[in-house]
Amino acid sequence: MVMPSESLTPMIPSIVVMGVSGTGKTTFGSALAAEMVMVFVDGDDLHPPANVAKMSAGIPLEDLDRIPWLEAVGAVLSSGGTVVACSALKRKYRDALRGFAPSVRFVHLRGMPSLIASRASSRIGHFMPPALVQSQLDTLELPEPDENVLELDIAAPVVDLVRMAASGLRNDHGSARQGLNVRG
């Protein structure tokens, strides 16, 4: 018997849309959240003021700078049913987020550095200067196969990326692999 509070479909766990600055995490993440009927949170909004000031000055964040930010992101993820845009550049950052929400899924937006740089340069009013994109590319640790991360090439239209990601995520554990590069 299904109780009124139970769902007939399994709950999609929280999702982290990861990648370097300029890959379109906010645009994609908000569209994915709408498609999946989930809440969207931009991880940039969770940075402490000191981090924003540092990045605004063109200074890359260090691991210690990221700790309070990752804790804030983790707290949001632990509530479930949320899509969060968060760079999650290193394996240890992704593992820390998994500590808050063990069933979290990751979608990695990746692309050619020239496309990412072009997108970052065309953004208006963002605290992250385009000059820091290279430091993020240098910091990025590509997801390992055991991380079960959906990887999407940002050269495709956002609507297509959302459709592919939603299909893969709804089928859980990357079982819908057509059009996706799934590590895991």
Side-chain angles (χ1 to χ4, degrees):
M1 179 162 100
V2 176
M3 302 300 293
S5 63
E6 294 179 328
S7 172
L8 295 174
T9 58
M11 182 182 142
I12 301 291
S14 290
I15 300 164
V16 172
V17 177
M18 64 169 283
V20 301
S21 182
T23 55
K25 295 183 298 292
T26 300
T27 300
F28 171 81
S30 60
L32 180 63
E35 172 67 24
M36 303 287 289
V37 191
M38 297 172 77
V39 174
F40 175 73
V41 176
D42 191 334
D44 284 345
D45 297 337
L46 302 175
H47 273 291
N51 284 6
V52 174
K54 196 170 186 178
M55 289 183 284
S56 295
I59 302 168
L61 297 180
E62 297 178 16
D63 286 350
L64 286 176
D65 299 319
R66 288 187 173 94
I67 292 172
W69 176 60
L70 290 169
E71 290 172 346
V73 171
V76 168
L77 292 171
S78 69
S79 66
T82 305
V83 175
V84 179
C86 170
S87 57
L89 297 174
K90 292 184 179 182
R91 169 79 185 241
K92 66 181 176 180
Y93 305 159
R94 297 185 294 273
D95 287 346
L97 296 175
R98 287 183 189 100
F100 287 95
S103 61
V104 67
R105 296 294 310 275
F106 289 83
V107 177
H108 179 203
L109 299 182
R110 58 179 172 72
M112 297 296 298
S114 58
L115 177 57
I116 295 168
S118 171
R119 287 182 175 188
S121 294
S122 67
R123 289 192 305 193
I124 298 171
H126 194 275
F127 62 81
M128 179 84 157
L132 287 183
V133 171
Q134 188 57 53
S135 74
Q136 287 204 333
L137 288 167
D138 293 343
T139 300
L140 177 64
E141 294 174 1
L142 293 174
E144 295 291 327
D146 68 313
E147 292 187 79
N148 192 28
V149 174
L150 298 176
E151 293 189 308
L152 300 175
D153 188 331
I154 64 170
V158 172
V159 67
D160 292 344
L161 296 176
V162 168
R163 180 185 46 76
M164 289 186 291
S167 175
L169 292 164
R170 284 186 178 119
N171 287 306
D172 204 19
H173 304 294
S175 61
R177 297 172 186 247
Q178 184 176 358
L180 298 173
N181 179 9
V182 180
R183 290 180 178 253

